[in-house]
Amino acid sequence: TLIFGDYDVKITAPADHLVASTGELINAKDILSKTQLNRWDEATTSYEEPVIIVTQNEAEKAEKGKVKNEKTWHYKAENVRDFAFASSRKFIWDAMAVKFGDRTVMAMSMYPKEGNPLWEQFSTKAVAHTLKWYSHYTFDYPYPVAWSIHAARIGMEYPMICFNFGRPEEDGTYSARTKYGMIGVIIHEVGHNYFPMIVNSDERQWTWMDEGLNSFLEYL
């Protein structure tokens, strides 16, 4: 039997890192700068376009050095069966809001400069698109956030957070195959929140309920 539970996690990382995690960030006012908080507030009412909370220039500046002090990121999650997080000083961070009745879900991405220009253009929009249309065909997304995290070669899902490939060439150019491969893997891995994470099927025993239903909705 796969068990649902509540997570209360504190992740201590170098102060120049950004940390994404399963769950909702509880202590944003303690760890984000005033500028970042203002951008975050803007993102919570931005339903058409992502708002960049940490820019590429800011990420590149952070990447050049290392700090000795630390910050602790506090995340809480309810009714999840697994947990994952990502941490890096290289991360760019953007976010946008997705409306579900009287609830707002935050679609978000973190990625290094190596992911651009693809990720800034498409990642968070693909997350929001997935939440809207999977919910249209099945049930409303129940969690408060959905993350897409850049990875060079893998696609892997966890509750509220997934890791997705799709990297341009070093000169910033990319093929249609790279672009649509990236968008496709984001849709697929975010979609795994529904099958198997939320419905809580056992993907090792009932693969058709995991990859089968998810792939069907992905193609829709």
Side-chain angles (χ1 to χ4, degrees), residues 49-52 54-57 92-96 109-126 150 166 168 182 186:
E49 294 288 335
V51 174
I52 298 177
V54 176
T55 69
Q56 180 165 333
N57 286 339
I92 302 159
W93 177 12
D94 66 39
M96 66 183 291
S109 299
M110 283 187 182
Y111 46 94
K113 65 180 186 298
E114 287 82 4
N116 270 340
L118 266 177
W119 276 67
E120 186 174 311
Q121 293 182 62
F122 300 113
S123 177
T124 295
K125 285 187 175 181
H150 179 85
M182 185 201 85
I186 291 172

Side-chain angles (χ1 to χ4, degrees), residues 3-195:
I3 304 298
F4 275 113
D6 297 342
Y7 284 77
D8 189 335
V9 179
K10 294 181 179 179
I11 302 167
T12 300
D16 56 357
H17 276 221
L18 294 177
V19 177
S21 172
T22 298
E24 190 170 19
L25 182 62
I26 300 301
N27 63 335
K29 292 182 179 180
D30 298 329
I31 58 174
L32 300 183
S33 69
K34 184 177 180 179
T35 298
Q36 291 167 350
L37 282 171
N38 288 338
R39 293 169 180 169
W40 170 257
D41 288 341
E42 182 183 352
T44 61
T45 57
S46 180
Y47 298 99
E48 300 298 327
E49 294 288 335
V51 174
I52 298 177
I53 297 167
V54 176
T55 69
Q56 180 165 333
N57 286 339
E58 291 164 346
E60 289 181 1
K61 183 178 180 181
E63 184 181 349
K64 293 176 181 177
K66 292 183 180 181
V67 299
K68 294 183 179 180
N69 56 318
E70 297 175 333
K71 288 182 179 179
T72 297
W73 299 65
H74 186 186
Y75 281 95
K76 285 187 177 182
E78 296 180 354
N79 294 323
V80 292
R81 70 183 205 177
D82 206 346
F83 166 87
F85 74 96
S87 176
S88 177
R89 63 175 51 86
K90 292 172 63 72
F91 278 152
I92 302 159
W93 177 12
D94 66 39
M96 66 183 291
V98 183
K99 198 72 170 174
F100 289 97
D102 60 354
R103 293 190 306 122
T104 296
V105 175
M106 295 306 296
M108 300 188 283
S109 299
M110 283 187 182
Y111 46 94
K113 65 180 186 298
E114 287 82 4
N116 270 340
L118 266 177
W119 276 67
E120 186 174 311
Q121 293 182 62
F122 300 113
S123 177
T124 295
K125 285 187 175 181
V127 176
H129 179 84
T130 305
L131 297 181
K132 291 175 183 176
W133 285 99
Y134 271 61
S135 296
H136 171 79
Y137 286 118
T138 59
F139 48 84
D140 282 357
Y141 184 76
Y143 296 135
V145 302
W147 284 101
S148 170
I149 308 298
H150 179 85
R153 295 178 181 85
I154 67 166
M156 190 62 208
E157 74 279 1
Y158 301 88
M160 301 187 225
I161 186 170
C162 58
F163 300 83
N164 305 301
F165 59 76
R167 181 171 288 188
E169 302 298 327
E170 290 185 4
D171 64 1
T173 62
Y174 53 86
S175 65
R177 179 176 182 179
T178 297
K179 171 185 171 180
Y180 290 110
M182 185 201 85
I183 292 171
V185 75
I186 291 172
I187 292 171
H188 185 86
E189 303 305 341
V190 173
H192 271 307
N193 276 287
Y194 294 79
F195 304 99

